[in-house]
Amino acid sequence: MRTTTRRTHGVRRALTGALLAGLTLLTSAGAAVADDPSASASPAGDEAGPTEAGTTFRTATALNPDQTGTAQASAGDYLYWVFPADAGQRPTVRATVKLPENAARRSTSTWQIDVYDGLRRRQACMYGHQTRKAAADAATVELSCVLRPVRAWSEPWANDPLPGSYYVRLTVVDLPADELGLPVGAEVRATVKEQGGAHDVDGALSEPLVPSVSVASAGDTGAADASAAPRVPSAGEPEDGWASGWWTDRWLWTVGGGVLAALAAVFGYSLTRGRGRPARVPQGV
């Protein structure tokens, strides 16, 4: 009896230790993935940014995440940049407009920043200062737009942000006609923040929403010279490619939960099976 009791207590202690070890392993693995810099698809952005901006969607200047683009333009121009955003990321766009000297201005002006996806659908900002009015004596005006997290897949009727290129358009929306054409300077910076598995969904796009990606895919890919040529990322595409669409940190929680459930089942069985046959009961009864 004492041997059986000691064996039962030993099993309970072993299972309790295994449960605690599994919880520690699962927590540390999730924290490592969240803190790992390589898990972010954002490049370092140390290289110099572009010094000009496009004037249409088709001529938008490519901008890497965490990279600052500058441009010299005239008040009233439409300035365009394009940057990539992948599934699980939340893009943030910030713009600073350097206004002309006070002697050249006599009235207020209103500036606006808009963000469009690869289908040129205007995306709403979660929060930020998308439109701002600058006083006549203001030297600069700052704008910002924080988008919703990018989803790997969405219904056709929805307007959810999807992986692909995102266009930034900066312009003045309210300015007297006699002040149009005054020189202004613009700085735009796009950043992306990984949101983790909380925003993951089942399914993925067959192709990211990048201009001309379907045309390139429909080309003659059987030519030997085309297959041998190195692939060059197009404008608005990450340098290391798009996410595969199947791996998320939810796999860690799923596998870890399964292991803990199996250990809990063994532990529960050890508690309910009893202490075995009493020593006073003869064999065969």
Side-chain angles (χ1 to χ4, degrees):
M1 290 294 293
R2 293 181 179 178
T3 302
T4 303
T5 303
R6 286 196 298 268
R7 186 183 298 114
T8 302
H9 289 323
V11 171
R12 292 178 180 176
R13 286 194 298 269
L15 290 175
T16 303
L19 284 171
L20 294 176
L23 285 172
T24 303
L25 178 61
L26 178 60
T27 305
S28 60
V33 171
D35 297 336
D36 186 8
S38 62
S40 174
S42 304
D46 294 335
E47 68 274 11
T51 56
E52 59 181 10
T55 55
T56 64
F57 283 102
R58 298 177 64 88
T59 61
T61 299
L63 190 67
N64 292 328
D66 297 328
Q67 191 179 47
T68 301
T70 59
Q72 299 296 324
S74 300
D77 291 344
Y78 286 89
L79 305 180
Y80 288 84
W81 292 267
V82 58
F83 68 94
D86 213 339
Q89 298 177 345
R90 188 182 66 187
T92 300
V93 180
R94 293 181 174 86
T96 302
V97 181
K98 298 179 181 179
L99 302 173
E101 297 180 358
N102 296 338
R105 295 183 291 125
R106 298 181 302 274
S107 58
T108 61
S109 58
T110 303
W111 295 80
Q112 181 170 304
I113 187 172
D114 297 302
V115 183
Y116 300 83
D117 63 9
L119 298 178
R120 300 184 184 179
R121 303 177 302 179
R122 185 175 179 273
Q123 293 295 322
C125 302
M126 291 179 59
Y127 49 86
H129 301 282
Q130 186 177 6
T131 303
R132 263 192 168 179
K133 181 176 292 186
D137 57 348
T140 60
V141 57
E142 296 183 355
L143 307 166
S144 62
C145 176
V146 180
L147 298 179
R148 294 170 294 169
V150 178
R151 296 166 56 90
W153 178 84
S154 179
E155 295 290 345
W157 47 263
N159 194 35
D160 296 322
L162 296 172
S165 300
Y166 282 80
Y167 294 90
V168 180
R169 186 179 72 180
L170 175 64
T171 189
V172 62
V173 294
D174 184 15
L175 185 67
D178 58 348
E179 295 186 14
L180 292 174
L182 293 178
V184 295
E187 291 184 1
V188 170
R189 183 178 180 87
T191 59
V192 292
K193 181 180 180 181
E194 297 289 345
Q195 296 298 292
H199 297 275
D200 290 331
V201 296
D202 295 332
L205 295 180
S206 58
E207 294 287 353
L209 302 181
V210 177
S212 304
V213 68
S214 59
V215 177
S217 301
D220 184 10
T221 58
D225 54 350
S227 60
R231 183 179 180 275
V232 179
S234 60
E237 179 179 358
E239 295 180 356
D240 53 354
W242 300 98
S244 60
W246 69 271
W247 169 256
T248 67
D249 56 3
R250 285 189 176 184
W251 285 99
L252 295 176
W253 295 99
T254 302
V255 175
V259 172
L260 294 179
L263 293 176
V266 175
F267 181 67
Y269 173 73
S270 68
L271 294 177
T272 58
R273 68 175 182 175
R275 300 180 179 179
R277 178 188 295 273
R280 62 179 181 275
V281 178
Q283 296 290 336
V285 179

